[in-house]
Amino acid sequence: MRVLIFIVLIVLSSAGHVFAKHIAGGDFYSTWLNGNNFKLTLKLYRDCSDPSGSPFDQSITMGIFNKQTNVLVNSYEVNLGAVIDLTLAGNLCSPPPEVCMQQGTYELNVALPANATGYYVVWERSEEHTSELQSRFGISYAVFCLK
């Protein structure tokens, strides 16, 4: 029993020293431009208060898949565009002074052939493979549909 209590105390005392240093969130969306032309935009958010945290990738891969068949139609290397420091403020937001957030933007204009069933758009950052679709492209994050 003493050993169990000792182990629990060790685990609890070290829990405060565990920090995640990864992308904090993001938005992935499309804007219809005209005809079959779309602008794909990925905005990622990262904690910049720790220099050893996860930086923005200088480029990412966006893949477009046929929604019905899950076949890759095309993939694109998309470079990091603007990186801006965010000001966290407002009536409901009073962040501590040590909080630092940045937004990185990736944009791609793409023309897609007409497709009645639509497309899935994905972006890749890591090598995790957890599904049939992922094993084809290495997807680890967002998916959305164009139709």
Side-chain angles (χ1 to χ4, degrees), residues 45-80:
Y45 304 96
R46 68 176 286 273
D47 178 358
C48 53
S49 61
D50 182 352
S52 68
S54 182
F56 292 115
D57 294 328
Q58 290 306 302
S59 68
I60 61 166
T61 303
M62 286 188 191
I64 300 175
F65 291 82
N66 181 298
K67 183 180 173 190
Q68 183 175 15
T69 64
N70 289 335
V71 171
L72 178 64
V73 174
N74 211 339
S75 64
Y76 304 89
E77 257 333 274
V78 183
N79 291 326
L80 176 63

Side-chain angles (χ1 to χ4, degrees), residues 30-51:
S30 66
T31 305
W32 175 74
L33 300 174
N34 58 46
N36 292 332
N37 299 304
F38 297 87
K39 177 190 246 179
L40 307 178
T41 304
L42 174 63
K43 292 185 178 185
L44 294 179
Y45 304 96
R46 68 176 286 273
D47 178 358
C48 53
S49 61
D50 182 352

